Amino acid sequence: MVTIRDVAAEAGVSVATVSRVLNNKGYVHEDTLRKVQQAIEKLNYSPNEVARSLFKRQSKLVGLLLPDITNPFFPELARGVEDELQKQDFRLLFGNSDENPEKEQAYIETFLQNQVVGIISATQTSGMFNQEQPAVPTVFLDRTHEGRYTVYADGREGGKIAARELVRRGSRNITVLKGPGHISPVQDRFLGAVEVLAASSVDFQVIQMASLTYEEAEERAKELFRQYPATDGILASNDMTAAAVLHEALRIGKAIPEEVQIIGFDDIPMSRLLFPSLSTIKQPVYEMGKQAAQLLLKLIKKEEVAEQIIQLPVSFVERNTTRKVKADG
Amino acid sequence: MVTIRDVAAEAGVSVATVSRVLNNKGYVHEDTLRKVQQAIEKLNYSPNEVARSLFKRQSKLVGLLLPDITNPFFPELARGVEDELQKQDFRLLFGNSDENPEKEQAYIETFLQNQVVGIISATQTSGMFNQEQPAVPTVFLDRTHEGRYTVYADGREGGKIAARELVRRGSRNITVLKGPGHISPVQDRFLGAVEVLAASSVDFQVIQMASLTYEEAEERAKELFRQYPATDGILASNDMTAAAVLHEALRIGKAIPEEVQIIGFDDIPMSRLLFPSLSTIKQPVYEMGKQAAQLLLKLIKKEEVAEQIIQLPVSFVERNTTRKVKADG
DNA sequence: ACACTTTGTGTAAACGGTTACACATAGAGA
DNA sequence: TCTCTATGTGTAACCGTTTACACAAAGTGT
């Protein structure tokens, strides 16, 4: 391994001088600069980030904690984060927590041990975070935490929009799939939907789910059609569960969207490829990741940040699990 | 920040002793051990990985380079890698290269600067790798590279199986979508398919694609049905393109699988949720990631490794874009 | 009693950078 | 000429660990 000392020797200067050209800081004579640059070139030297991090007591690393990258909602999020950080030469230390507090704790600890400059977390449990102010700037993504920097989409409004669209398009007996209550965005969209439904004149019922897996949703879907055969509109917890419901509906011969309308949530890439393609509430996922990264970057640089909480708008994506509505007006 | 010195002071011993208990190495008296442990507990000390890495000249980090985590093939791969590494307390430094040699180069360089113990790469270009033996153990995943440690699925056999299944199920005029030639597994599956097709008595033609995006596949699918209207079987480059073809086929009113059969490749999670659900060649993606991690771990520990190349078997997943075949025999 | 090994601990030198500080020289302003 | 500032460079301490080495005390075998 070639070190700064080798470069210094090659260029016939001290390590301090090499360091100065490396960091482009302090006075360096033009000729010296050239000599050092040549030495660097010749030896193919690249500075050891670890040594830097040690002295500076911070690295160029950011910790990213996700529940599960395998869940199709998250890759896009991660990409938004990465693309933004990458521009500023920060790198990602990455972990899946499976919403498991121990795993989460372990990851955060190693993030900190590696002297990350900041953490972006899309987990809810956040064992460590709940107790004390974390040691480094932390931004929560897609999950809200009291009094913490947060970037998320307006789930409540999304729930409202979904409910309104369903009603507006003629559903009169609606079943709402309620996801696990401890996941804040899921809870929000449920609350929003119920708020609208309660104020409307349609009948509705709620089915509780313990997870957001396709498998559980399949079960619940069967239950749904057995228990509430009159259902003509379904608000799913997310697109994955909507897909399960859609398949079950098709399986038992329901016409979609004529007999039953379905609206999902998230707009994951798969949704447009389902048949019929899934109407859903779109979250600006990539943008969320990007904004979280930008916010974190500001915190790291101790820049002024206007808002502790950034809430992004959602929108209805009309596809083919909802009926067309006659021209507005 | 609490350091090993603080712990040493608190316990009334030297830093060397603390280090010994930390690493559970060398002689430490039972009473001393207890004192140190108590001090650690009391101060809530956790060792600085960066300082460790500097001294050891290697970290507990592994670099993972993917083309694009947003491509549904990769999350599962990444998960396989992570789960395996995580067990041994290694962490992932993660980057998307977009198959862009500059980005890739930049990531590899920062991986190395951060003194990763190893690299797992699922990219094809691998600018740096081509030139010299990389500075750390490196395993290629899903992409083959001459003379390098590699884990991949048997694409050639997959292509053969797909072609055979299509023929066996009655297609007589087959169109093969050929993905970009520089991506080795994609090339392999194409070669495998053509090998079988050429030896069979069915007609077939090839359509070349420049990418594996849904968008391009949509274009090509239109072209396909325009140019080769007699096609009654399609071998797609992967599931994503298969989805595009499937949609186009449905759009123009082809009965699937009665008029046209389609077989994809990969078995990404979405495939079973398409309508009709997609018959495909399944790659053991999670397992591939896992094996790559295991292989890397062995290389890191300088254990004996039996094979430089690990090839995993693929399998046909029969779903509903292929016709049922009468009982075998 | 002696030599030798085992056990237990501390001191200090790394690891590869950054930077405070000292110092030297040159130019500018009086 | 003298002082002051700007420019350019080097020395050495420091970041938080690990570990080679030295040393001492306690067993062990003869």
Side-chain angles (χ1 to χ4, degrees):
Chain A
M1 170 178 263
V2 23
T3 76
I4 198 173
R5 265 163 254 278
D6 302 326
V7 176
E10 174 74 26
V13 299
S14 75
V15 293
T17 301
V18 178
S19 181
R20 279 190 279 264
V21 346
L22 249 25
N23 297 289
N24 193 21
K25 151 190 292 187
Y27 296 111
V28 176
H29 194 278
E30 214 184 316
D31 299 347
T32 315
L33 178 67
R34 224 178 339 262
K35 273 193 300 181
V36 172
Q37 282 169 339
Q38 275 164 14
I40 289 174
E41 189 80 7
K42 177 169 173 197
L43 301 180
N44 193 18
Y45 167 76
S46 106
N48 182 326
E49 265 314 314
V50 177
R52 270 187 183 165
S53 302
L54 178 59
F55 185 86
K56 302 266 205 75
R57 284 195 236 45
Q58 58 172 37
S59 65
K60 299 277 286 180
L61 267 24
V62 167
L64 175 63
L65 197 56
L66 298 179
D68 181 10
I69 190 69
T70 263
N71 174 332
F73 177 75
F74 291 109
E76 195 95 3
L77 251 200
R79 203 55 158 94
V81 170
E82 197 220 314
D83 285 356
E84 201 58 27
L85 290 179
Q86 191 255 355
K87 284 189 213 159
Q88 315 246 357
D89 282 327
F90 288 96
R91 297 286 116 109
L92 233 39
L93 215 45
F94 164 77
N96 296 110
S97 73
D98 294 319
E99 307 270 15
N100 168 344
E102 276 97 60
K103 260 181 140 176
E104 187 185 309
Q105 183 75 27
Y107 270 116
I108 292 173
E109 200 170 314
T110 54
F111 287 170
L112 261 16
Q113 285 180 339
N114 282 286
Q115 294 185 166
V116 295
V117 267
I119 295 177
I120 295 180
S121 169
T123 63
Q124 196 75 60
T125 48
S126 60
M128 173 171 281
F129 298 129
N130 290 333
Q131 297 156 40
E132 37 187 330
Q133 214 50 238
V136 296
T138 302
V139 171
F140 289 91
L141 223 194
D142 183 50
R143 306 290 154 106
T144 55
H145 286 80
E146 201 58 42
R148 294 293 159 81
Y149 291 97
T150 308
V151 174
Y152 71 114
D154 193 346
R156 184 173 207 100
E157 183 61 22
K160 288 189 191 176
I161 295 174
R164 272 192 225 112
E165 291 293 342
L166 223 45
V167 173
R168 174 160 165 259
R169 288 169 150 76
S171 287
R172 287 298 166 258
N173 189 323
I174 292 176
T175 301
V176 183
L177 255 31
K178 177 181 180 304
H182 65 274
I183 304 179
S184 50
V186 172
Q187 178 72 354
D188 287 354
R189 66 189 70 155
F190 172 74
L191 261 20
V194 167
E195 195 174 316
V196 165
L197 258 19
S200 77
S201 56
V202 307
D203 294 338
F204 74 97
Q205 55 273 154
V206 173
I207 290 184
Q208 174 74 47
M209 316 218 330
S211 73
L212 291 177
T213 58
Y214 186 85
E215 285 66 26
E216 187 187 342
E218 266 182 322
E219 288 304 308
R220 294 287 163 276
K222 291 203 172 92
E223 206 174 300
L224 188 162
F225 292 115
R226 206 181 315 120
Q227 218 171 333
Y228 309 112
T231 290
D232 63 355
I234 298 172
L235 252 23
S237 315
N238 67 3
D239 284 357
M240 203 46 119
T241 65
V245 170
L246 173 58
H247 275 85
E248 177 60 17
L250 256 24
R251 201 185 61 83
I252 64 173
K254 295 277 185 184
I256 309 285
E258 293 76 12
E259 291 177 67
V260 179
Q261 302 192 92
I262 303 175
I263 296 185
F265 208 106
D266 287 348
D267 195 25
I268 60 179
M270 168 209 303
S271 301
R272 59 191 272 246
L273 303 181
L274 293 174
F275 183 84
S277 59
L278 182 67
S279 296
T280 190
I281 305 296
K282 176 191 181 71
Q283 299 201 55
V285 193
Y286 183 87
E287 185 65 20
M288 286 162 65
K290 192 171 154 178
Q291 297 250 357
Q294 285 174 352
L295 175 55
L296 185 69
L297 252 13
K298 281 188 195 159
L299 293 173
I300 289 170
K301 295 180 190 156
K302 299 193 189 305
E303 286 174 23
E304 197 67 23
V305 324
E307 313 275 1
Q308 196 181 31
I309 293 177
I310 298 179
Q311 193 183 50
L312 266 28
V314 300
S315 54
F316 177 64
V317 178
E318 175 172 8
R319 286 201 276 248
N320 297 312
T321 54
T322 47
R323 297 171 215 146
K324 304 302 170 215
V325 79
K326 305 126 199 60
D328 262 343
Chain B
M1 169 176 262
V2 22
T3 75
I4 198 173
R5 262 164 258 278
D6 302 326
V7 176
E10 174 72 27
V13 299
S14 74
V15 293
T17 302
V18 178
S19 180
R20 278 182 210 111
V21 348
L22 250 25
N23 298 288
N24 194 19
K25 148 189 295 186
Y27 296 111
V28 176
H29 193 277
E30 214 184 317
D31 299 347
T32 315
L33 178 66
R34 227 183 334 267
K35 275 195 298 182
V36 172
Q37 282 169 338
Q38 275 164 15
I40 289 175
E41 190 82 7
K42 179 171 171 196
L43 301 180
N44 193 19
Y45 166 77
S46 107
N48 182 326
E49 266 311 317
V50 177
R52 267 187 184 168
S53 302
L54 178 60
F55 186 87
K56 302 268 207 72
R57 283 198 249 23
Q58 64 172 239
S59 64
K60 298 279 284 182
L61 267 24
V62 167
L64 175 63
L65 197 56
L66 299 178
D68 181 9
I69 190 70
T70 261
N71 174 332
F73 177 75
F74 292 109
E76 195 94 2
L77 251 200
R79 203 56 157 93
V81 170
E82 197 220 314
D83 286 356
E84 201 59 26
L85 290 179
Q86 191 254 356
K87 283 189 213 156
Q88 315 246 357
D89 281 326
F90 288 95
R91 295 287 116 108
L92 233 39
L93 214 46
F94 164 78
N96 296 319
S97 73
D98 294 318
E99 308 269 15
N100 168 343
E102 276 97 59
K103 261 182 136 174
E104 186 185 307
Q105 183 75 25
Y107 270 115
I108 291 173
E109 199 170 315
T110 54
F111 287 170
L112 261 16
Q113 285 180 337
N114 282 285
Q115 294 184 170
V116 296
V117 266
I119 294 178
I120 295 180
S121 169
T123 63
Q124 195 74 60
T125 49
S126 59
M128 173 172 279
F129 298 129
N130 289 334
Q131 298 156 38
E132 35 188 332
Q133 211 55 232
V136 296
T138 301
V139 170
F140 289 91
L141 223 195
D142 182 49
R143 306 289 154 106
T144 54
H145 286 80
E146 200 57 41
R148 294 293 157 80
Y149 291 96
T150 308
V151 174
Y152 71 114
D154 193 345
R156 184 174 207 99
E157 182 61 23
K160 289 190 193 176
I161 297 174
R164 271 192 227 112
E165 290 294 340
L166 223 45
V167 172
R168 174 162 164 255
R169 288 169 150 77
S171 288
R172 286 298 166 258
N173 188 324
I174 292 176
T175 301
V176 182
L177 256 30
K178 174 180 183 307
H182 65 276
I183 303 178
S184 50
V186 171
Q187 179 71 355
D188 288 353
R189 66 189 70 154
F190 171 74
L191 260 20
V194 166
E195 194 174 317
V196 165
L197 258 19
S200 77
S201 56
V202 305
D203 295 337
F204 74 97
Q205 55 274 151
V206 174
I207 289 184
Q208 173 74 47
M209 314 216 338
S211 73
L212 291 177
T213 59
Y214 187 85
E215 285 66 27
E216 187 187 342
E218 266 182 321
E219 289 305 308
R220 294 286 163 278
K222 290 203 172 93
E223 207 174 299
L224 187 163
F225 291 116
R226 206 181 316 121
Q227 220 171 331
Y228 308 111
T231 290
D232 63 355
I234 298 172
L235 251 24
S237 316
N238 67 0
D239 284 357
M240 203 45 119
T241 65
V245 169
L246 173 57
H247 275 85
E248 177 60 16
L250 256 24
R251 200 185 62 82
I252 64 173
K254 297 276 184 186
I256 311 284
E258 293 77 10
E259 291 177 67
V260 178
Q261 302 192 91
I262 303 176
I263 296 184
F265 208 107
D266 286 348
D267 195 26
I268 60 179
M270 167 208 303
S271 302
R272 58 191 270 246
L273 303 181
L274 293 174
F275 183 85
S277 59
L278 182 68
S279 295
T280 190
I281 305 297
K282 178 190 181 71
Q283 298 202 55
V285 193
Y286 183 87
E287 184 65 21
M288 285 161 66
K290 193 170 155 180
Q291 296 250 359
Q294 285 174 351
L295 175 54
L296 185 68
L297 251 15
K298 280 188 197 160
L299 292 175
I300 289 170
K301 295 180 190 155
K302 301 195 188 301
E303 285 174 22
E304 196 68 22
V305 324
E307 312 276 359
Q308 196 181 30
I309 293 176
I310 299 179
Q311 193 182 49
L312 266 28
V314 300
S315 54
F316 178 62
V317 177
E318 175 171 10
R319 287 201 275 249
N320 297 310
T321 54
T322 46
R323 298 173 213 143
K324 305 299 169 218
V325 79
K326 306 128 199 57
D328 261 344

